[in-house]
Amino acid sequence: MNQPRARLREMLASGNLIVAPFVFDCLQAKLAASAGFDAVYMTGFGTAAARGYPDLGLLTMTEMVANARAISQAVDVPVICDADTGYGNPLNVWRTVREYEDAGASALHIEDQVFPKRCGFLAGKQVIAMDAMAPKVRAACDARRDRDLVIIARTDALQVNGWDDVERRARAYRAAGADLIFVDGIKTLDDLRLYAEKIGDLPLVYNGDLLPLDELKKYPFKLTIHIGTMLAAFDTMRSLMIELKRTGQLSVGTKSNVFGDFVRLMGVDEYQALEKKYAE
């Protein structure tokens, strides 16, 4: 049994909102887990950015799976993964699901954008026909060998076609077998309200930070993936680079407690204990 997958299923069944912060590497995933989060979200935007690319469909399935595997091995909490469009037709989706499953992912989402896709909050998105996406959802569900693996169907139709089409697609993808439905591109509180009102009877994913988590818990969402951590990490790192260039020093360094915290988080003590055990 894959324990993180089973735990994710249990959390989804509990009715409590699952909060999964954006992470794009193992360090961030470890920080999230140590802070007490019950799950993490491997962001495609961040995974691309960490490799120097914008989120415009430039990364391959192999690169995304490699990151999913690394993060899944680094933490014991469920890892929810971006799988873009599934990288092709239903047959490609089949292989994609198998690869993510083997990598240790607890959940993955595929979307109905035209490939090459782009970040759900960027302009210029296009979507494939609903009747072309539904077979991909069925293929994703059929491909999994572990029934605990959560399949999420994402639609990007809101900015393209509006709420009526979104509702049709959401219900069709749920009927095709998706465990969760994910409408991306929710940019306003009005859209957040409509999201809950129009399809709140479905198990939903919300991506964004329009409300504090305590207020968001009043909405009928099963899972929220929180983009704020990625943006804050970018802003903090940018500010520190500017500060170091401008002043020649930083307030945090090897003489601070932060270095010790870093070392402990990475498990240096545990690895050194193993080193000592096998040296005897």
Side-chain angles (χ1 to χ4, degrees):
M1 175 190 292
N2 182 294
Q3 292 183 347
R5 284 184 200 139
R7 196 155 62 248
L8 180 59
R9 284 285 183 180
E10 291 172 0
M11 289 190 289
L12 287 170
S14 74
N16 297 321
L17 178 66
I18 303 167
V19 180
F22 275 46
V23 302
F24 54 80
D25 62 25
C26 298
L27 174 59
Q28 293 173 7
K30 283 180 172 289
L31 286 168
S34 68
F37 285 100
D38 293 321
V40 297
Y41 171 66
M42 189 199 84
T43 157
F45 187 107
T47 300
R51 286 150 182 77
Y53 295 105
D55 188 11
L56 296 174
L58 295 171
L59 261 60
T60 65
M61 183 262 284
T62 304
E63 290 171 300
M64 293 289 284
V65 167
N67 202 31
R69 177 175 290 105
I71 293 172
S72 296
Q73 291 177 347
V75 293
D76 293 328
V77 300
V79 181
I80 299 155
C81 297
D82 186 344
D84 295 323
T85 63
Y87 310 101
N89 63 21
L91 190 60
N92 300 110
V93 169
W94 180 285
R95 185 189 171 206
T96 294
V97 169
R98 292 287 174 99
E99 293 287 339
Y100 273 82
E101 185 178 41
D102 288 344
S106 292
L108 61 92
H109 66 75
I110 60 171
E111 66 206 49
D112 58 7
Q113 281 198 53
V114 170
F115 190 84
K117 52 82 50 132
R118 60 186 59 209
C119 168
F121 284 83
L122 294 178
K125 294 189 296 182
Q126 299 179 59
V127 292
I128 63 176
M130 181 181 73
D131 291 342
M133 178 63 176
K136 293 173 70 169
V137 176
R138 290 200 302 273
C141 295
D142 289 346
R144 59 187 167 188
R145 290 154 291 188
D146 184 348
R147 306 312 297 177
D148 283 335
L149 180 66
V150 174
I151 302 298
I152 306 168
R154 167 177 147 180
T155 179
D156 286 74
L158 179 57
Q159 294 175 27
V160 182
N161 299 327
W163 274 112
D164 288 345
D165 189 44
V166 164
E167 183 171 359
R168 285 191 295 270
R169 287 170 180 262
R171 297 192 183 282
Y173 303 163
R174 175 63 171 164
D179 297 298
L180 297 172
I181 299 299
F182 174 8
V183 178
D184 206 19
I186 303 293
K187 295 182 177 181
T188 68
L189 287 174
D190 282 343
D191 276 335
L192 187 64
R193 176 181 54 80
L194 287 170
Y195 190 11
E197 288 180 359
K198 286 182 175 293
I199 51 175
D201 58 310
L202 301 179
L204 301 178
V205 177
Y206 167 59
N207 173 24
D209 57 357
L210 289 172
L211 289 174
L213 292 174
D214 284 344
E215 292 185 39
L216 190 64
K217 290 176 181 178
K218 300 174 185 177
Y219 286 74
F221 301 129
K222 294 281 191 180
L223 165 68
T224 182
I225 53 176
H226 202 287
I227 191 173
T229 51
M230 182 180 71
L231 300 180
F234 166 78
D235 188 49
T236 300
M237 182 63 75
R238 176 177 61 180
S239 296
L240 290 172
M241 292 295 184
I242 293 171
E243 180 185 347
L244 179 60
K245 177 63 177 176
R246 180 174 57 84
T247 69
Q249 62 182 356
L250 294 174
S251 58
V252 175
T254 55
K255 295 181 181 180
S256 70
N257 293 330
V258 173
F259 182 75
D261 293 341
F262 202 151
V263 166
R264 281 187 290 275
L265 179 68
M266 300 314 297
V268 170
D269 290 344
E270 290 84 350
Y271 279 99
Q272 287 182 333
L274 279 174
E275 183 180 42
K276 182 179 180 180
K277 174 182 177 180
Y278 295 115
E280 294 174 349

